Amino acid sequence: MKSSPLTIGQVAARFGLPTHVLRHWESVGLLSPTRVAGDRRRYTPDDLVRVASIVCAKEAGLSLPDIRDFLTATDPATHKDVLRRHHSALRARVAALRSALDLVEAGLNCAHEDITTCPNYRARLASAVAAPDRAAPGR
């Protein structure tokens, strides 16, 4: 049994997206739904797989140009190149998040009434305090 093509509203609802996001993805070459009378978009099961791929790639932090490169590549080496470019950025984000989580957990477990007076907290900040002349935000 073949499923009926879906409208843009149905696809948007299925993925929890505003319809303008699907239109934007189409405008930058990520999607190409078929058109019916009145120039209305219709999305097939293959389009749904494509939308799911884009959503997952966005959640992984890939940019739209990288997602387009990945989805349109016919050469497996190109797929790997896109993933390699993004791999180091993801590892850096994971490290930053781990560090932030460690700081929050240390604060939650700290016995000091004011965490900013805690020697352990201050030790964590020592490298930032000692950093040579970092420009303050907004300067």
Side-chain angles (χ1 to χ4, degrees), residues 25 30-31 50-59 64 67 71:
W25 290 350
L30 290 172
L31 294 173
R50 184 91 166 190
V51 171
S53 296
I54 297 166
V55 168
C56 288
K58 289 291 297 166
E59 288 172 354
L64 293 181
I67 295 169
L71 293 176

Side-chain angles (χ1 to χ4, degrees), residues 65-86:
D66 280 345
I67 295 169
R68 184 179 50 245
D69 290 348
F70 184 81
L71 293 176
T72 60
T74 55
D75 175 24
T78 303
H79 289 131
K80 296 283 188 183
D81 288 342
V82 171
L83 296 175
R84 260 189 225 99
R85 284 195 311 260
H86 193 62

Side-chain angles (χ1 to χ4, degrees), residues 4-137:
S4 299
L6 301 175
T7 66
I8 191 169
Q10 291 169 319
V11 173
R14 179 174 287 195
F15 288 96
L17 299 167
T19 55
H20 72 85
V21 169
L22 295 171
R23 288 185 193 96
H24 176 68
W25 290 350
E26 184 179 353
S27 74
V28 297
L30 290 172
L31 294 173
S32 55
T34 58
R35 301 290 180 133
V36 295
D39 205 32
R40 294 186 180 138
R41 295 165 178 86
R42 291 295 182 261
Y43 294 83
T44 65
D46 286 341
D47 292 320
L48 297 181
V49 170
R50 184 91 166 190
V51 171
S53 296
I54 297 166
V55 168
C56 288
K58 289 291 297 166
E59 288 172 354
L62 273 77
S63 67
L64 293 181
D66 280 345
I67 295 169
R68 184 179 50 245
D69 290 348
F70 184 81
L71 293 176
T72 60
T74 55
D75 175 24
T78 303
H79 289 131
K80 296 283 188 183
D81 288 342
V82 171
L83 296 175
R84 260 189 225 99
R85 284 195 311 260
H86 193 62
H87 183 258
S88 63
L90 276 178
R91 292 189 64 85
R93 283 177 46 202
V94 167
L97 287 171
R98 281 190 184 131
S99 178
L101 183 60
D102 289 347
L103 180 63
V104 168
E105 288 174 347
L108 290 171
N109 295 321
C110 182
H112 287 79
E113 195 167 307
D114 179 359
I115 191 172
T116 63
T117 63
C118 176
N120 292 329
Y121 176 79
R122 287 181 174 246
R124 289 184 62 90
L125 299 179
S127 63
V129 171
D133 195 32
R134 284 204 272 182

